[in-house]
Amino acid sequence: MDPKTPYENSSNFDSFMFNSSSPRSDMSIQSRSSGRDNSTREVSFGHTGSKPVRHGSNSEGLSMSQKEISDEDARLVYVDDPEKTNERLKFAGNSIRTGKYSIFTFLPRNLFEQFRRVAYIYFLVIAILNQLPQLAVFGRGVSIMPLTFVLVVTAVKDAFEDWRKHRSDKIENNRLALVLVNGQFQEKKWKDVRVGEVIKISANETIPCDIVLLSTSDPTGVAYVQTINLDGESNLKTRYTKQETQSMFPEKERLNGLIVCEKPNRNIYGFQGYMEIDGKRLSLGSSNIVIRGCQLKNTNWALGVAVYCGRETKAMLNSSGAPSKRSLLETRMNSEIIMLSFFLIALCTVTSVCVAVWLKRHKDELNLSPYYRKMDVSEGEEDSYKYYGWVLEIVFTFLMSIIVFQIMIPISLYISMELVRVGQAYFMIRDSRMYDKATDSGFQCRALNINEDLGQIKYVFSDKTGTLTENKMEFQCASILGFDYSSAKMGPENEQVEYSVQEDGKVFKPKMRVKVNQELLQLSKSGFANREGKQIYDFFLALAACNTIVPLVVDTSDPMVKLIDYQGESPDEQALAYAAAAYGFMLIERTSGHIVVNIHGEKQRFNVLGLHEFDSDRKRMTVILGYSNNSVKLFVKGADTSMFSVIDKSLNSDILQATETHLHSYSSVGLRTLVIGMRDLNASEFEQWHSAFEAASTALIGRASMLRKVAINVENNLCILGATAIEDKLQQGVPESIESLRTAGIKVWVLTGDKQQTAISIGCSSKLLTSNMTQIIINTNNRESCRRCLQDALVMSRKHMTVPGVTHNSEGRSDAVSTPLALIIDGTSLVYILDSELEEELFQLANRCSVVLCCRVAPLQKAGIVALVKNRTDDMTLAIGDGANDVSMIQMAHVGVGISGQEGRQAVMASDFAIGQFRLLVPLLLIHGHWNYQRLGYMIIYNFYRNAIFVLVLFWILVKGLS
């Protein structure tokens, strides 16, 4: 807890408290209604027996949790002994470099990139020819000045942009960190940190490298981190130390230990290893490692040992270098210029042949010819004028013709193009339609050379969180005991209420207000007066307790009033916690061992005896609470489809049926639904669970699957409490924007690091997924299973093919697909597909689908998906995102668009264009993109035709004169 929180020391731990050190993964509480519209068909492809199972990319889904780390795949890190750690293998230093050039490589590399324009090579050849005295049609200096000017201006621009990156790298590398040296913590530059060194991180500081946690200021070993630079999420994530290392004091005793972990890899969601200390082998997972770029929050300090540094950190491995982008028009111009060059050669050849014929005819008259006389008598004495002979004169005539006809490919065209692009950028920046009042941000043009590509986009790859959505969840309604307390039934009396509690003369209020149902609010105050009151009590207690929310105290202008800000891994959990507080169940303190909830003015403490967080197989989260009377209760919340399978249907079947009806109505309007259940645990059941959980959480092999089995065994015979519905607010105009893009013939793909359930829900509410689509879901965890699933999906997609012309798509063309297909695939499957022979099969399948949703994908996987389309089609691609996790995708696409949102500036800095919200993509592409492409295209054609006429007229005069 934050040290400012007045409730921190409200009570002590008792012997009944059990502290979990199990791996934790992100929490998603979205589900789809079991009463799905019959017109929506869903096909799942997975690696199970008779019943399909979806495997998400959970915290250990991509790691080696099922096998021991082999010697050749292991990295040995000696704690607080960098010399021994680096003795056999020199691990990478912690210095990073994101710049493209160095002092020595700038000139050759920059010239190489500029001369990718074929016209520059042509201009260089012309300038070289003009340096020869025999061919000097223009002045030598004048002929080379235009090309030199263009090259220098471009080089200066590129040098400035790269200098900014080097300056940023220098600032990053010279930041200071506290490193343990000879038993004392000393300041050390980030670039000097080495693998094996122990680092101390203070609150709000950034992690300098990938570290395995040893201890934290929290006595239970919990650390809260913000991973905004990795996954774009501003919510806090929980990380844990091992209890065996939590009590160590490195400044008083020598740390001796060995960490054996996997080699550096790009998987930011997984980590596998173990630590040998004091003769014990402690398992390490993704919950024990903090990645470079994360920030420590709500924790005074944390100690960790560096395991990956510099370019070997997961963040750097997921960062692709910034490519140099060229517009499609320029690429097309290269081929046109090559064709014009052949045409120019043909003209010069004809001219040379005509000159050869003329020389043959007038060989005896050359002395009298003004250009071919053999004698120079201007000084009174005859001097032999240098005549190179018939063959060389023809060659020189050919080369001089090239210089004379060089305007066929004008260098002025490139200068004109740059001027036009500057004007286009001005129009886009000054357009009031491109200004977003909500974020007070206007349009930014960060790459002038690809303006016209905006009008040729065929694929849009979009992030979800912060791009399509505001990442703000609002509690809308609840179903309890079969009664629907929905916002639709709320009258004028149902408004946002402000619940508050008093402590030490100060008033504490939730930071966010929630619109409540007055009838339900009155029932929540009835307590245990009747069965209905008890059920409502348990329902809201589950909302307040079954989460990983951390309550923080925020000061206000009034020193006597404090706000409780709920920070957690999921905005869904935040919405539910605020809803519980609005109904009188305010969470005011949380540690890994207990929680304190103020229930209608009475502060109550519950011991957290165990916690099973959400995973993609169970689709549930479970918390086990110990009451003051030594009773134990298990609270579970999760997706409706998974919860109904573990609820005791013999109890209150009428309530169950009514709840299902309410869930269907909630999901039909795009709300994210969740079912709440509970049951009492007797002493024997708790002891059985406790021993199984202990064994699973300390296992080195198959830990994730063992923990999953323990959770499944205890999550059964539940009594249903009710259901909730949350609205994930889309950004303004997102559904209309997606519909407009699809009407324009642009395919929209969503690539998100979020859960599959969440992505599907947003897909429905944003009109990306429609009720008449057949969903193809691919979730696998091995290569062979991926192959089978793709083949099955391809076969199924062919069955949906009909005779061309039966249906018509939004562009008015005949479409061969009778039923639109939507492909939904997770990051675990993509691990086995990308960079393998399965890429082509995935592309074929995706090409037949109207919509593609990729869930739980890592940053570099996003870039791989963009490259999948980019390398297999000539269509233009655009990537749009708002977080650092979108940078690789933005840089990989032909056009990258950054959103000036709440998730930092990394996406904007890496983008070609920046806008305030997703809806502004429509005027950017369909208005400005159209005009940019059309106007520049007309200008290029005009220049080519105009110069061609000049050259052909000159050619006709020369040929006419020679004849």
Side-chain angles (χ1 to χ4, degrees), residues 94 345 457 472 501 645 665 873 919:
N94 202 38
I345 291 173
I457 301 300
K472 295 178 181 178
V501 297
S645 64
S665 64
T873 178
R919 62 182 173 83

Side-chain angles (χ1 to χ4, degrees), residues 355-356 359 366 372 374 385-397:
V355 168
L359 287 174
L366 293 180
Y372 287 98
K374 296 182 179 180
Y385 190 78
K386 194 167 185 180
Y387 177 67
Y388 299 99
W390 185 69
V391 176
L392 286 180
E393 286 293 343
I394 294 174
V395 173
F396 288 148
T397 301

Side-chain angles (χ1 to χ4, degrees), residues 490-654:
M490 291 182 180
E493 73 278 2
N494 298 290
E495 54 186 19
Q496 291 182 341
V497 299
E498 192 174 73
Y499 181 78
S500 62
V501 297
Q502 291 189 353
E503 180 79 14
D504 298 332
K506 295 181 179 180
V507 178
F508 292 86
K509 303 177 181 179
K511 185 178 179 180
M512 184 182 298
R513 293 186 179 185
V514 177
K515 191 174 183 180
V516 300
N517 184 294
Q518 291 295 330
E519 179 185 359
L520 181 58
L521 180 61
Q522 294 301 321
L523 290 173
S524 68
K525 297 178 181 179
S526 61
F528 293 92
N530 49 47
R531 177 176 175 270
E532 184 180 38
K534 181 179 180 300
Q535 291 271 34
I536 293 175
Y537 177 94
D538 289 334
F539 177 84
F540 284 113
L541 179 60
L543 297 190
C546 193
N547 52 54
T548 56
I549 290 294
V550 181
L552 306 178
V553 175
V554 180
D555 294 328
T556 65
S557 56
D558 186 351
M560 302 305 294
V561 177
K562 304 290 183 180
L563 297 181
I564 301 293
D565 182 15
Y566 290 138
Q567 287 288 331
E569 299 184 10
S570 169
D572 304 71
E573 292 185 339
Q574 292 174 297
L576 293 177
Y578 280 118
Y583 283 98
F585 291 72
M586 182 186 291
L587 177 67
I588 57 178
E589 179 184 347
R590 173 182 294 279
T591 71
S592 61
H594 72 271
I595 60 172
V596 176
V597 183
N598 187 292
I599 302 177
H600 292 293
E602 181 182 352
K603 190 164 61 175
Q604 297 188 23
R605 179 181 183 273
F606 303 91
N607 294 311
V608 180
L609 307 179
L611 185 68
H612 289 284
E613 293 199 21
F614 181 93
D615 66 55
S616 59
D617 290 331
R618 294 165 40 246
K619 300 183 182 66
R620 297 185 293 268
M621 179 184 183
T622 297
V623 63
I624 300 177
L625 297 184
Y627 286 63
S628 57
N629 60 359
N630 289 335
S631 63
V632 179
K633 291 187 178 182
L634 176 141
F635 293 91
V636 186
K637 68 179 180 181
D640 48 6
T641 52
S642 67
M643 287 294 293
F644 288 144
S645 64
V646 295
I647 287 176
D648 188 350
K649 295 182 174 57
S650 63
L651 301 175
N652 300 321
S653 58
D654 294 338

Side-chain angles (χ1 to χ4, degrees), residues 416-428:
S416 301
M417 287 174 62
E418 297 302 327
L419 292 176
V420 169
R421 285 165 173 162
V422 170
Q424 292 172 346
Y426 174 80
F427 288 137
M428 291 187 288

